[in-house]
Amino acid sequence: MERHFEKVEEILKKYGYKRENLIKILLEIQEIYRYLPEDVINYVSTAMGIPPAKIYGVATFYAQFSLKPKGKYTIMVCDGTACHMAGSPEVLKAIEEETGLTPGNVTEDLMFSLDQVGCLGACALAPVMVINGEVYGNLTADKVKEILRKIKEKERESANV
């Protein structure tokens, strides 16, 4: 896919092409593409005079960056001890049944991506998942499927508008 870099260039200009702004630059780029594409990393490398390996080092060190496409709705399921004991395996199974997703993957239509994480810091609400920053707790398989169906319905309605 041939990519146009106007938006990337706007971000670079906004931050003055300064190395100390690399994390901010990468975060804004990821907001546009939902991940950090290789060709964009190479463009940033050339524009900023930073070796691509250095940019990859930053992108792989910080958990908020992804080198693989993420869905419009990023689902994170906690599998820490409290969540695991309270039923996170059933939450993951319900997500797979509803979307076909397993951890670390994205749906073909880029609607959903799923990550299994060690702890989300909401143990009192176990089991927990977060979708685009919104926390859902005390989950059951049925609740998970209902949440995902509502998101799908909302997307269908907005597509028909």
Side-chain angles (χ1 to χ4, degrees), residues 14-122:
K14 175 180 172 182
Y15 291 104
Y17 297 85
K18 293 182 180 167
R19 288 174 177 249
E20 61 266 23
N21 292 326
L22 181 61
I23 292 173
K24 292 176 188 173
I25 290 167
L26 294 178
L27 284 170
E28 285 199 30
I29 289 169
Q30 185 166 277
E31 280 182 37
I32 295 168
Y33 298 106
R34 294 196 288 227
Y35 76 114
L36 297 172
E38 181 180 358
D39 59 341
V40 173
I41 289 174
N42 290 331
Y43 183 88
V44 170
S45 167
T46 301
M48 294 182 71
I50 299 173
K54 176 93 170 163
I55 296 174
Y56 278 105
V58 170
T60 56
F61 180 80
Y62 293 102
Q64 66 264 45
F65 293 118
S66 177
L67 299 174
K68 289 176 18 181
K70 292 284 186 184
K72 180 175 182 180
Y73 296 93
T74 300
I75 306 166
M76 292 188 295
V77 175
C78 181
D79 197 36
T81 304
C83 285
H84 189 87
M85 297 304 289
S88 65
E90 289 78 17
V91 169
L92 288 166
K93 187 172 190 267
I95 293 168
E96 182 175 4
E97 288 171 2
E98 191 61 34
T99 65
L101 273 179
T102 55
N105 292 300
V106 62
T107 55
E108 265 187 44
D109 61 3
L110 295 179
M111 184 63 64
F112 296 101
S113 55
L114 175 61
D115 291 308
Q116 185 175 350
V117 298
C119 185
L120 289 170

